[in-house]
Amino acid sequence: MSFDRDRLHLAIQKSGRLADQSRQLLKDAGLKLQQGGRNELAARAENFPLDLMLVRDDDIPTFVADGVCELGIVGQNVLDEYALGRPELRIEQVAKLGFGRCSLKIAAPDSLGRFELAMLQGQRIATSYPRLLGRFLADNRIAAEVVTMRGAVELAPRLGIAGFVCDLVSTGATLDANGLMPVADVFDSEAVLIRTPRPLDAAHAEKAAALLTRIDGVIATAESKYIVLNAPESALPAIVQILPGAEAPTVIPLIGREGQVAVQAVCQESVFWETLERLKAAGASAILVMPIEKMML
Ligand code: PRT
Ligand code: ZN
């Protein structure tokens, strides 16, 4: 596939933890993506003027910063580690995408027992995120030695390379398996959509805006539900309070049932069983919760 300057370019991780969900997001936004072989570095959207660049996640901020790709999807951890090294650049974070959640944590051997931040003073800490860790240490006025490792950070204490590690954690199983326990939170991360700091010409800007509107719609729909319920009119103030993230619900009188109304609302936050129980306790009945397939805000 040739590089077509007229099309938009979006860098995503080729394979790894963010790859499938990045593609799924674009599919949910209505894009038909060409499959592309194992060795393909790009994949074309058949029904939108967009080409995907399939790269290592570490290269995504560079591609976007240099304007090779107008857009990218990358973990905030990778973005901020890069951005701290090039403070003159302003890569814009356009949207949080709600997947790839993890946190960068400092961990210590289980045998350490009680921990406080001051114990890091003068210690060696192994990490693949020296700038994020460096900022955390400076913010907390801790003078520690940062040992940069590209991978296998969890092994550092056993190898005698460092007394502490600072690595990404999602379930905590890896720390556990290596006899380590989390002791401090350095940075919370999720996948984000980023935009180049280079100015876009009108045609590219229009295409990017159209794509972002669709992606915003997908993000909004992911958590949103449509709720319909019946209630006595007198219970409305209490019910509106309980409906999560609902603005200006529609209230319709129920013919033949004096004082009773039907309420319809889009809830932009998760609706749990507990929410339904609270609605019922407030006087609601016949409560329906429905998924929303598409939404354009
Ligand atoms: O090949 P490429 O360079 O593209 O991929 P990569 O190997 O550098 O990255 P990859 O695919 O592992 O992660 C991509 C992004 O996913 C990261 O930059 C984070 O934004 C996000 N992410 C979310 C994670 C995790 N969760 C995660 N758990 N990245 C890494 N991990 C690792 C962590 O480093 C540790 O080794 O998983 C282990 C811990 O997991 P738990 O579940 O045992 O706690
Ligand atoms: Zn990587």
Side-chain angles (χ1 to χ4, degrees):
M1 198 182 82
S2 59
F3 195 82
D4 182 346
R5 259 285 139 226
D6 289 341
R7 297 172 71 83
L8 272 182
H9 297 85
L10 169 67
I12 65 168
Q13 192 186 26
K14 181 176 168 65
S15 62
R17 288 170 190 266
L18 303 181
D20 289 348
Q21 280 165 297
S22 300
R23 277 174 174 266
Q24 189 57 49
L25 171 73
L26 298 168
K27 286 183 192 158
D28 291 345
L31 271 56
K32 276 210 175 95
L33 304 174
Q34 282 175 352
Q35 205 40 52
R38 262 175 64 82
N39 297 319
E40 287 284 356
L41 297 175
R44 180 151 285 189
E46 290 166 13
N47 56 352
F48 198 91
L50 172 85
D51 288 340
L52 295 182
M53 309 303 272
L54 308 172
V55 296
R56 291 202 54 175
D57 68 342
D58 316 75
D59 293 332
I60 292 174
T62 314
F63 278 114
V64 174
D66 295 347
V68 177
C69 294
E70 292 81 8
L71 300 166
I73 295 177
V74 70
Q76 276 172 312
N77 51 308
V78 172
L79 173 66
D80 280 28
E81 181 67 21
Y82 175 87
L84 285 172
R86 292 187 70 180
E88 78 287 357
L89 269 181
R90 296 202 62 81
I91 302 181
E92 195 188 337
Q93 185 176 303
V94 187
K96 292 187 180 188
L97 300 176
F99 61 85
R101 286 207 174 94
C102 56
S103 17
L104 187 65
K105 291 181 193 271
I106 297 178
D110 288 331
S111 54
L112 186 75
R114 201 184 53 85
F115 172 86
E116 56 188 64
L117 274 184
M119 292 166 80
L120 295 173
Q121 220 50 268
Q123 296 292 316
R124 287 163 71 94
I125 311 173
T127 189
S128 305
Y129 295 90
R131 297 192 190 105
L132 285 174
L133 174 59
R135 180 175 66 182
F136 173 86
L137 294 173
D139 286 351
N140 288 284
R141 297 170 200 282
I142 291 165
E145 187 184 340
V146 175
V147 182
T148 304
M149 292 175 69
R150 289 209 122 202
V153 170
E154 309 84 14
L155 298 180
R158 255 187 290 158
L159 299 175
I161 297 170
F164 295 84
V165 305
C166 173
D167 197 11
L168 296 175
V169 179
S170 45
T171 61
T174 306
L175 289 185
D176 231 27
N178 286 283
L180 299 168
M181 58 176 185
V183 293
D185 281 349
V186 173
F187 187 80
D188 287 331
S189 179
E190 68 185 271
V192 288
L193 181 69
I194 56 175
R195 175 161 48 195
T196 184
R198 301 271 172 112
L200 299 185
D201 62 38
H204 278 94
E206 195 179 314
K207 289 168 195 155
L211 182 63
L212 296 183
T213 303
R214 288 205 199 181
I215 289 178
D216 280 345
V218 175
I219 299 167
T221 359
E223 290 253 289
S224 298
K225 293 282 183 280
Y226 196 72
I227 293 197
V228 181
L229 55 85
N230 292 346
E233 223 172 338
S234 57
L236 275 180
I239 284 175
V240 171
Q241 281 287 313
I242 298 167
L243 288 172
E247 276 171 34
T250 308
V251 177
I252 308 164
L254 290 176
I255 307 297
R257 286 208 221 155
E258 194 57 30
Q260 288 277 324
V261 291
V263 179
Q264 303 180 0
V266 173
C267 292
Q268 302 200 349
E269 290 166 30
S270 302
V271 178
F272 302 103
W273 281 110
E274 190 192 52
T275 315
L276 302 194
E277 284 158 9
R278 289 177 58 211
L279 287 169
K280 197 160 190 297
S285 59
I287 310 169
L288 295 180
V289 181
M290 292 171 279
I292 294 171
E293 190 171 301
K294 290 192 177 61
M295 177 148 70
M296 197 173 276
L297 299 171

